Amino acid sequence: MSNIIEMKGVNKWYGDFHVLKDINLDVKKGEIVVVAGPSGSGKSTLIRCINRLEEHQEGIIRVKGIEVNSDIKNLRQIRSNVAMVFQHFNLFPHLSVLENLILAPIWVYKKPKKEAIETAMYYLNKVNIADQANKYPNQLSGGQQQRVAIARALCKNPDIMLFDEPTSALDPEMIKEVLDVMINLAQEGKTMVVVTHEMGFAKKVANRVIFMDEGQIVEENDPQNFFHNPQSDRLKLFLKQILNH
Amino acid sequence: MAVYPLKPARKPPLKERGLIAWLRKNLLSSPFNIALTIFGVAILYMIIPPFIKWAFIDANFVGNSKADCTGDGACWVFIKEKLNMFIFGFYPQDILWRPKVVMLGLVALLIFAKFVKGFNKLKLFLIVIYPIIGYILLHGGYFGLEVVETSKWGGLLLTLIIASVGIVLSFPIGVILALGRQSKLPIIRSLSIFYIELIRGVPLITVLFMASVVLPLFFPQGVDFDKLARALIGISLFEAAYVAENIRSGFQAIPKGQYEAADSLGLTYWQKMGLIILPQAIRVTIPNLVGTFISLFKDTSLVMIIGLFDLLSMVNVAANDRDWLGMETEGYVFVAFIFWIFTFGMSLYSKYLEKKLDINKKG
Ligand SMILES: Nc1ncnc2c1ncn2[C@@H]1O[C@H](COP(=O)(O)OP(=O)(O)OP(=O)(O)O)[C@@H](O)[C@H]1O
Ligand SMILES: [Mg+2]
């Protein structure tokens, strides 16, 4: 059971639209998996099924051996082990940075407030933003907000981190500051599933890159072969498009 | 190749600035606009000077009977003489200190809650028990205080009681209804929708009649259910439907990402709603909520029709006094003024709250 995430024959529909087709995917503890693919190919849907922000209709998903299903106890355990970082940060605008960070530790993990604040400050330091602890999210730049969102995720001390295009809403000059934080995390051995178009990130830290198209996993490989030795025509075309832009 | 030096900022040309420019832009920008401006000024001219003449210049302020008024302008002596009645209704004159203490206590409590920092637990405690203290003082029956039936309560006192109890009760009920309307459980959702739409389709007067006539039928014979309590229940339940709709519009302003972030953090449904969604929904809906509460405040005068004597009814009563016949105008202007003070105060407070709680604050 060294697979921390297991997906077997997962299918999902939006109405009649078959958005995930027979997905099989295992992620080992400490593995960095990058998911790439054209817009609308189902990447977000795939990772959102892992913490059940979307419900799958067929197949089995397990996180740390616990099945992802309608059982509320399972769901609670899974969500306390899995953290997610969104494209649009989704910080809580009515709470200060620090309050955003201590929310889950206090309410989900029942930590004393003092300890929660210490942990929060530790992670804010880690993402280089401790001086902004008392500001509100809308007073920060996009890059800063995303780093706060990462710190908020880390405060859960999660076994698994899911990233859904964490840099695509950022101005170019801010992408690097967020990627640097993510690269650090990857090198510390967190299990990460990352949907991204940042191929530099994939080349640098991914153990595996997955290519999705039309709701399927079309190809998966280690980064070296993924980029330099693509097999399917669709991946070749995709690589040509993203590398040329 | 060319290099352009940076230019210092200049002020806009004179014709874009100052009073003349403002007049030109806002009042005289087109023939239609000019006509409207003339029309508006004419109306103001017809209304304001006569009113000022009536209310101040020709008015009588001193004296203690109708004979002291010349009749050219307003007879404010009437208001002065009947003030206790307007404020306290038929509350016995010799124990007016009790409602006075209650009202002053409320003001003191609000000032304490607003301007003194800290003591949060004490504040909460006081706010929760204050209605009980207020009730005991007003109604009596305990600690040797003479009993004053609620039917004797009246005037501004009653108006304020109805409005504040209505606001305080309708708010939580409205929140629950709004949550119910969002619920994934079909039964809860349809019940909430049914209730909200039913109430919103019915005038408050009907609800008040129902509360005063129909509600007692549900109680065993002989149980005399206080008339004021019936009105309070009716108004709160009525207002709750509107509060619920306000809050629902607030929910709709919250991006989906907020729900998802709360879910992905592992918050429970109630934590998510209570800590993330509701606080934001209430913030965006404050202007609407205050609008609802302002109309609630004004609607309190409808309790007149089920035989309660709020501020407006007291004016009717006072104007029927044989010594003061013909004083309706003064009375109604006074009532309008009092209502305006309170609702305008609520408006200002909501502006202030909006600014203070602005989620998108920058800088
Ligand atoms: N709630 C929904 N209802 C109906 N269709 C949906 C819904 N969410 C997504 N879809 C559709 O499912 C498909 C996959 O969406 P998904 O968001 O997973 O794509 P993606 O690979 O993440 O794309 P992008 O790169 O644009 O984020 C798209 O065609 C989208 O239009
Ligand atoms: Mg996506």
Side-chain angles (χ1 to χ4, degrees):
Chain A
M1 214 226 53
S2 64
N3 286 330
I4 196 162
I5 303 172
E6 304 165 72
M7 301 180 93
K8 282 200 187 64
V10 173
N11 281 279
K12 173 170 178 63
W13 290 260
Y14 285 122
D16 280 343
F17 178 57
H18 201 170
V19 57
L20 292 181
K21 300 172 186 158
D22 292 319
I23 302 289
N24 292 298
L25 174 67
D26 290 332
V27 179
K28 290 199 202 56
K29 194 166 167 34
E31 207 177 5
I32 315 292
V33 176
V34 164
V35 182
S39 180
S41 56
K43 306 175 301 285
S44 299
T45 311
L46 172 78
I47 69 164
R48 289 155 60 87
C49 280
I50 297 172
N51 65 348
R52 208 173 167 83
L53 289 184
E54 303 287 352
E55 295 171 15
H56 60 288
Q57 284 122 5
E58 266 180 32
I60 290 183
I61 304 177
R62 285 200 200 92
V63 173
K64 287 184 86 182
I66 303 166
E67 187 170 346
V68 181
N69 55 21
S70 57
D71 183 334
I72 194 116
K73 260 201 343 241
N74 286 5
L75 187 62
R76 211 158 275 170
Q77 270 192 19
I78 286 156
R79 284 190 175 155
S80 72
N81 285 320
V82 180
M84 190 162 205
V85 175
F86 301 85
Q87 180 175 0
H88 296 287
F89 331 133
N90 296 354
L91 294 173
F92 304 128
H94 62 302
L95 300 177
S96 71
V97 166
L98 190 63
E99 288 164 342
N100 265 277
L101 264 66
I102 62 178
L103 196 72
I106 288 179
W107 292 94
V108 181
Y109 304 91
K110 315 289 180 205
K111 296 249 175 66
K113 187 165 178 191
K114 193 158 160 273
E115 191 187 325
I117 291 179
E118 274 166 20
T119 317
M121 290 313 294
Y122 170 80
Y123 284 116
L124 281 178
N125 263 313
K126 202 159 163 166
V127 300
N128 294 319
I129 203 165
D131 48 334
Q132 314 283 353
N134 292 315
K135 287 208 176 158
Y136 284 83
N138 291 319
Q139 297 170 316
L140 304 180
S141 74
Q144 290 174 320
Q145 290 191 46
Q146 195 57 298
R147 284 184 283 146
V148 170
I150 294 175
R152 180 175 73 179
L154 287 171
C155 280
K156 300 175 62 179
N157 194 19
D159 294 315
I160 300 162
M161 301 261 293
L162 307 175
F163 293 83
D164 191 358
E165 304 203 26
T167 56
S168 5
L170 297 178
D171 294 336
E173 72 267 25
M174 293 170 186
I175 292 179
K176 186 175 175 301
E177 64 187 48
V178 171
L179 283 182
D180 284 346
V181 168
M182 291 172 59
I183 290 170
N184 260 334
L185 283 177
Q187 285 163 350
E188 284 172 14
K190 271 259 185 275
T191 312
M192 292 165 60
V193 181
V194 184
V195 176
T196 185
H197 297 299
E198 293 296 328
M199 291 305 136
F201 174 81
K203 283 179 190 163
K204 193 155 184 180
V205 296
N207 301 104
R208 212 156 22 119
V209 186
I210 285 172
F211 176 63
M212 284 188 77
D213 196 9
E214 296 184 18
Q216 310 184 31
I217 296 183
V218 174
E219 191 164 338
E220 65 174 284
N221 219 327
D222 57 88
Q224 183 66 22
N225 281 312
F226 185 90
F227 291 108
H228 299 298
N229 190 14
Q231 301 298 311
S232 60
D233 292 341
R234 276 189 279 185
L235 177 53
K236 283 177 196 164
L237 183 68
F238 177 72
L239 288 175
K240 218 159 91 195
Q241 280 166 347
I242 59 165
L243 297 179
N244 282 346
H245 77 192
Chain B
M1 200 194 104
V3 176
Y4 303 101
L6 288 172
K7 299 186 175 89
R10 285 193 300 134
K11 291 215 158 145
L14 207 57
K15 65 176 198 287
E16 299 281 315
R17 279 186 276 157
L19 181 64
I20 308 281
W22 185 89
L23 283 176
R24 273 241 291 262
K25 200 161 123 206
N26 292 293
L27 297 179
L28 309 167
S29 62
S30 69
F32 180 64
N33 201 338
I34 291 172
L36 272 185
T37 301
I38 292 172
F39 183 67
V41 169
I43 290 204
L44 289 179
Y45 181 74
M46 270 160 20
I47 294 175
I48 292 182
F51 179 78
I52 289 180
K53 192 163 178 304
W54 176 81
F56 300 104
I57 298 171
D58 293 343
N60 300 101
F61 296 91
V62 286
N64 46 28
S65 77
K66 197 178 169 189
D68 294 318
C69 289
T70 53
D72 301 331
C75 180
W76 297 125
V77 180
F78 168 65
I79 305 295
K80 202 180 72 189
E81 286 300 304
K82 298 283 186 187
L83 199 58
N84 270 350
M85 224 174 138
F86 293 154
I87 296 180
F88 303 108
F90 300 115
Y91 209 91
Q93 293 288 322
D94 52 329
I95 46 173
L96 281 186
W97 65 270
R98 280 159 52 178
K100 281 179 187 164
V101 167
V102 171
M103 284 165 131
L104 287 178
L106 184 63
V107 173
L109 178 60
L110 291 179
I111 290 175
F112 171 64
K114 185 85 200 61
F115 295 107
V116 183
K117 289 213 160 59
F119 302 108
N120 284 335
K121 289 217 172 96
L122 178 66
K123 281 179 191 170
L124 194 67
F125 175 71
L126 286 175
I127 288 170
V128 170
I129 67 157
Y130 195 77
I132 303 168
I133 298 177
Y135 177 79
I136 290 175
L137 258 175
L138 284 176
H139 186 266
Y142 302 90
F143 312 115
L145 291 174
E146 178 191 337
V147 173
V148 180
E149 295 297 341
T150 55
S151 55
K152 293 237 166 65
W153 306 8
L156 182 62
L157 174 71
L158 187 73
T159 299
L160 291 179
I161 289 174
I162 296 175
S164 45
V165 172
I167 289 171
V168 168
L169 286 185
S170 65
F171 187 71
I173 304 174
V175 167
I176 290 169
L177 282 170
L179 288 175
R181 193 163 188 167
Q182 290 248 307
S183 169
K184 284 206 183 106
L185 307 172
I187 301 210
I188 294 187
R189 195 177 53 240
S190 14
L191 276 179
S192 310
I193 293 177
F194 176 75
Y195 179 84
I196 292 170
E197 295 305 332
L198 179 76
I199 294 288
R200 288 190 346 133
V202 169
L204 177 57
I205 296 204
T206 319
V207 174
L208 284 175
F209 272 131
M210 296 271 281
S212 80
V213 178
V214 181
L215 209 59
L217 301 182
F218 293 105
F219 290 90
Q221 281 272 308
V223 174
D224 183 27
F225 201 53
D226 190 275
K227 200 196 264 176
L228 174 60
R230 278 181 262 158
L232 288 176
I233 292 173
I235 286 185
S236 304
L237 291 178
F238 180 81
E239 239 23 78
Y242 288 84
V243 171
E245 282 302 275
N246 286 160
I247 292 182
R248 184 171 79 117
S249 72
F251 281 149
Q252 280 166 344
I254 310 293
K256 212 169 129 241
Q258 294 288 307
Y259 291 84
E260 293 175 350
D263 282 337
S264 76
L265 283 180
L267 298 180
T268 65
Y269 173 81
W270 290 107
Q271 289 169 343
K272 171 174 70 178
M273 293 323 259
L275 297 167
I276 308 299
I277 307 301
L278 266 177
Q280 295 186 58
I282 290 172
R283 264 162 234 232
V284 295
T285 195
I286 281 176
N288 294 336
L289 268 179
V290 173
T292 298
F293 289 145
I294 285 178
S295 64
L296 163 69
F297 187 78
K298 293 185 292 186
D299 285 349
T300 53
S301 48
L302 287 175
V303 297
M304 180 195 299
I305 55 125
I306 59 168
L308 290 171
F309 289 93
D310 76 311
L311 177 57
L312 184 60
S313 346
M314 286 317 295
V315 168
N316 286 339
V317 171
N320 281 331
D321 183 338
R322 254 189 298 144
D323 298 335
W324 291 98
L325 286 177
M327 292 294 157
E328 282 91 350
T329 316
E330 283 82 353
Y332 293 145
V333 168
F334 172 73
V335 171
F337 181 66
I338 297 290
F339 270 93
W340 179 80
I341 297 257
F342 278 94
T343 53
F344 187 62
M346 285 159 89
S347 255
L348 285 183
Y349 187 64
S350 104
K351 288 254 160 54
Y352 159 82
L353 267 187
E354 249 177 277
K355 265 224 187 85
K356 188 178 140 192
L357 300 177
D358 184 7
I359 296 173
N360 296 312
K361 59 183 145 210
K362 301 249 178 202

